[in-house]
Amino acid sequence: MGQNLALNLVDRGYRVAVHNRTTAVTERFMKEQGESSMVAASDLAGLAQSLARPRRILLMVKAGPPVDESLTNLLEILEPGDIVVDGGNSFWQDTERRIDRAGAAGIHMVGAGISGGEEGARHGPSIMPGGDAAAWPVIREMFQAIAAKAPDGSPCCDWVGPGGSGHFVKMVHNGIEYGDMQVIAEAYDLMRASGMSADEMAETFARYNSGRLESYLIEITSRILRRRDDDGQPLVEHVLDAAAQKGTGRWTVESALDLGQPLTLISEAVFARIVSSLKDERVAAAKVLNGLASRDGSHDRAGANEADIADALYGSKIVSYAQGFMLLRAASEERGWNLDMAAIAPLWRAGCIIRAALLDPITAAFRKDPGLPNLMLDSRLAADIADSQEGWRRTVARAVVAGIPVPAYSSALAFYDAYRSERLPANLIQAQRDFFGAHTYERVDRPRGEFFHSEW
């Protein structure tokens, strides 16, 4: 991604100095590019000397200790007023610590979430910068020049807020990405279990991509299902069903727990990857634990009803985004970031992994009501969920009967039903807590904030 961002900057008319700690990597990169508006630096001192003041340095290194090591080395070289941008997937609390450390030396540091992978970096990613606001006027033109452009022409890059807010927003983006991938995988599992061929599934996802489910991940799913291995079989069927993760999804769930937010769908997506990693245990369990139906297509092919699965996909996606923005709002209030949801949503409309048609009504919802407490309360999105829920419920019911796990669909539906419930059974839980622990409870016939205890 670092190499492609450098090429992207050159394409936009900027002169770029590049450095890699492995000199051979830098030399090979420069040789491959030939004559260009780039210069190579063999060390960080040479990199600093080649840059105009205030120096602007973009770090694209692995999150964690490598960022701290790079910052330590740069602070020995840079001067007050220079700018360091961490473009990796750093944990937002690490970013806050580094911003304070750099600031003590007079260096402006930015934590910029960058999404889009190598292709996005080359042709236009989504960029979510936050941190020392003094840096933004200096880097704004450059970053917005290389960013993806939304359909209306606006750059998918804008200042997010102070502290680690940029990396926090990117973390939530990645959590939503986990959720999006899981809801698509559940659709694939239902279709496959009902006997659909890879080509049939590819056609179905292609049709999805021509409507309200249009998204980058739906598009590549169709392409993946068409790919054949050397033996002529679908390549996806040769891929081991054990999903890896780099940690951003887990960070999102941990942050939701810290802030008391019900991030149920993304949590289930993270847990689904963990369950998938228990491959050997699952193979052994499959020989011992029985369900009510097999997963080999013997149940009714209607279990793969294309329209119903589309409803489950769409309804679950709305819930996932609603929960993600609930987390952003809670973090903003807790940290005093003053995040603008109407500005964050448009950053994801192009360039990033979760770019989707759904981002347009989400953006419109926050522009219409910047204080919207939950996306599901927007009139259009509420109507979309209402239109989707019959097929969504049928899909979950069929999956349960067939013994096919759909943790994302079912948890999203449960959250929707809980959120719309005027009364939940938590009163019994409070009574139980008061019974065994004298934890007290509030009463429906008294003002909130008054607490009572009973000798049960």
Side-chain angles (χ1 to χ4, degrees):
M1 285 186 67
Q3 293 179 2
N4 281 351
L5 286 169
L7 294 172
N8 191 347
L9 283 162
V10 169
D11 288 347
R12 301 305 183 273
Y14 293 96
R15 298 198 69 227
V16 181
V18 297
H19 165 73
N20 187 288
R21 64 179 181 177
T22 304
T23 303
V25 172
T26 306
E27 292 175 346
R28 183 170 62 250
F29 176 62
M30 294 298 292
K31 183 177 181 180
E32 291 172 351
Q33 304 314 314
E35 294 294 328
S36 71
S37 297
M38 285 189 289
V39 296
S42 59
D43 55 31
L44 288 178
L47 180 71
Q49 290 174 4
S50 66
L51 298 175
R53 292 174 175 80
R55 301 177 180 93
R56 291 159 288 183
I57 294 180
L58 173 61
L59 290 176
M60 295 300 296
V61 299
K62 185 177 179 180
V67 180
D68 287 313
E69 180 182 350
S70 298
L71 182 59
T72 295
N73 294 332
L74 286 170
L75 291 180
E76 296 176 355
I77 299 167
L78 299 181
E79 300 172 351
D82 290 341
I83 297 168
V84 177
V85 180
D86 175 12
N89 272 333
S90 290
F91 184 50
W92 66 275
Q93 289 182 339
D94 289 339
T95 300
E96 296 208 320
R97 171 176 53 79
R98 291 165 185 148
I99 289 171
D100 289 343
R101 183 184 175 200
I107 306 300
H108 306 303
M109 187 159 188
V110 173
I114 301 178
S115 177
E118 294 182 12
E119 185 70 15
R122 183 66 183 88
H123 301 292
S126 168
I127 309 177
M128 296 148 263
D132 188 338
W136 183 232
V138 183
I139 65 174
R140 176 176 182 168
E141 180 182 292
M142 177 189 306
F143 274 49
Q144 291 188 336
I146 65 172
K149 304 301 183 291
D152 61 6
S154 59
C156 292
C157 171
D158 204 354
W159 190 251
V160 172
S165 59
H167 275 140
F168 192 96
V169 169
K170 175 55 162 56
M171 178 191 73
V172 174
H173 163 285
N174 283 22
I176 293 173
E177 179 183 309
Y178 272 60
D180 278 358
M181 295 171 74
Q182 179 64 27
V183 296
I184 293 171
E186 290 178 14
Y188 157 76
D189 202 18
L190 288 166
M191 295 176 193
R192 181 174 178 271
S194 70
M196 290 179 69
S197 68
D199 286 338
E200 289 175 320
M201 289 186 279
E203 288 296 328
T204 299
F205 281 108
R207 285 192 292 272
Y208 287 170
N209 200 48
S210 64
R212 63 182 182 175
L213 284 168
E214 178 190 354
S215 72
Y216 171 72
L217 287 169
I218 291 286
E219 175 192 345
I220 68 169
T221 298
S222 179
R223 293 169 58 183
I224 288 169
L225 288 164
R226 295 184 193 279
R227 179 67 183 271
R228 291 292 191 272
D229 200 13
D230 294 339
D231 61 1
Q233 297 300 310
L235 177 57
V236 70
E237 296 303 325
H238 293 318
V239 177
L240 185 69
D241 58 321
Q245 52 184 313
K246 291 186 175 180
T248 49
R250 174 172 52 81
W251 292 346
T252 311
V253 174
E254 290 172 349
S255 295
L257 291 172
D258 289 341
L259 292 166
Q261 295 302 304
L263 210 72
T264 58
L265 190 151
I266 293 171
S267 299
E268 289 294 349
V270 172
F271 290 136
R273 293 197 188 190
I274 294 172
V275 172
S276 78
S277 71
L278 305 176
K279 177 65 176 179
D280 292 342
E281 291 183 39
R282 290 189 290 112
V283 170
K287 300 172 182 176
V288 178
L289 304 178
N290 297 318
L292 295 178
S294 68
R295 295 166 53 90
D296 60 2
S298 61
H299 66 278
D300 189 351
R301 188 183 172 96
N305 183 286
E306 180 179 326
D308 285 355
I309 292 177
D311 285 341
L313 263 169
Y314 195 66
S316 297
K317 279 175 67 71
I318 293 174
V319 167
S320 183
Y321 279 83
Q323 292 179 347
F325 278 98
M326 289 172 69
L327 178 58
L328 288 175
R329 186 175 300 282
S332 180
E333 294 174 355
E334 175 81 12
R335 305 294 299 181
W337 286 339
N338 195 29
L339 299 183
D340 182 357
M341 306 305 160
I344 291 173
L347 301 183
W348 299 339
R349 290 187 296 166
C352 66
I353 303 302
I354 66 171
R355 60 186 183 267
L358 179 58
L359 267 303
D360 289 330
I362 289 175
T363 298
F366 282 124
R367 286 177 176 171
K368 181 174 64 176
D369 181 3
L372 186 68
N374 191 297
L375 278 171
M376 296 191 302
L377 300 179
D378 173 72
S379 58
R380 173 177 171 179
L381 294 172
D384 285 347
I385 289 185
D387 290 342
S388 299
Q389 67 170 304
E390 286 191 21
W392 186 3
R393 293 181 190 282
R394 283 193 295 266
T395 298
V396 171
R398 288 172 179 144
V400 171
V401 171
I404 300 172
V406 285
Y409 295 165
S410 55
S411 66
L413 185 58
F415 173 78
Y416 171 71
D417 285 336
Y419 193 76
R420 68 180 185 84
S421 295
E422 185 174 347
R423 183 182 177 92
L424 291 171
N427 56 315
L428 178 59
I429 294 173
Q430 282 299 89
Q432 292 170 331
R433 294 179 71 244
D434 189 57
F435 186 105
F436 65 69
H439 293 295
T440 74
Y441 57 89
E442 295 173 284
R443 294 179 60 96
V444 297
D445 54 357
R446 299 296 291 270
R448 293 296 303 271
E450 291 187 31
F451 293 90
F452 301 87
H453 168 63
S454 294
E455 294 297 334
W456 298 90

